[in-house]
Amino acid sequence: MATTGTQLRPLGIGEVLDAAFKVYRERFKTLALCVLVPTAPLAVLQVLILLSIDDSTFAPDSSSQADDAAGTALIAFGLTSLLSYLAFYAAAAACIRAVAGAYLDTEVTWQESVKLGLRRMLPVLGLSILLGLVTTLTLPIFLLGVFLFIRWSVTIPARVVEDAKWFSSIGRSWTLVGGRWWWTFLLVFILVVLLVVISIVIGIIFAIPAGLADSTIAGAAANLVGSLAVNVIVLPLGTAVITIHYFDLRVRKEGFDLQLLADSIGTPAPAGVAHGSGLGADAPASPQWETGGQSYGGFSAPRADEPEPRA
């Protein structure tokens, strides 16, 4: 997909969604592995733990030995569930890395993405908990909660791409979304509706074998597999939309497209974009740009001697 130079321009809502679907289709294998590698082993382990528990264990007349075995298995299931929760955020960060590379038309392997995702896992988790807590506490004042949720909607991409600190990432999102709140609200609303519909459809598909299962454990195992399938489809698509929206905001406010073009041909950035893009004497303290080279928050910009991007 020829993203650089063609899509690095201000996009409409439909164009953001279209670009996200293109990245999702053309890099599906990479994105699927970004999700499966961190999460699938734990999901398989959870299924095996569930299958190891005999349904008779939960009968009123079960022996104490069987109860102890079931208790141990349930504790193990709880621990793997916690690890799965962490793995989800590692997968999210990995998907953002892969989408950013695809959108900037650079080759990014799933191994590189997962490695970065594991490094960013705890910061992303912490930010998600912090923002979720603040948003939840402000939900009684509904409009305030919605306002903050949208204003902070690109915090996670800023954290992953720019490797900014926690509050710097929050501030970056606040600044980027400023002046584009309603536009961002509409995009996020469409995305949430789309992902909910997809999740429901997949849930119904896997609910059928779960309902037909001849045991509680088998049904739970089917539900776990369904959850994994939802993650493989929903997580990459959701991160693709939000990450491309993040870059679109930078194009609009920081001349990000002009900066990449200037670097690709080895010339200084136009003076008009020096301040907004973090170049020159007025560069902000936030580490989104590593000046003096071709690295942007850990991502390599296209070079002039690179072959033409794939059509």
Side-chain angles (χ1 to χ4, degrees), residues 23-85:
V23 169
Y24 179 76
R25 289 195 308 267
E26 298 186 10
R27 303 297 174 94
F28 177 76
K29 180 180 177 180
T30 298
L31 292 169
L33 288 172
C34 285
V35 176
L36 291 174
V37 170
T39 62
L42 292 168
V44 171
L45 183 58
Q46 285 180 304
V47 171
L48 293 176
I49 291 173
L50 287 175
L51 293 177
S52 70
I53 304 175
D54 193 335
D55 284 343
S56 62
T57 301
F58 302 101
D61 58 347
S62 62
S63 65
S64 59
Q65 184 177 2
D67 290 341
D68 291 342
T72 302
L74 290 176
I75 291 174
F77 182 81
L79 290 175
T80 54
S81 297
L82 177 60
L83 292 175
S84 295
Y85 185 71

Side-chain angles (χ1 to χ4, degrees), residues 242-262:
I242 295 301
T243 302
I244 291 173
H245 175 50
Y246 157 79
F247 280 116
D248 180 63
L249 292 173
R250 293 190 66 175
V251 167
R252 292 175 181 274
K253 295 197 169 188
E254 299 177 346
F256 186 73
D257 53 338
L258 297 179
Q259 175 54 41
L260 287 181
L261 178 61

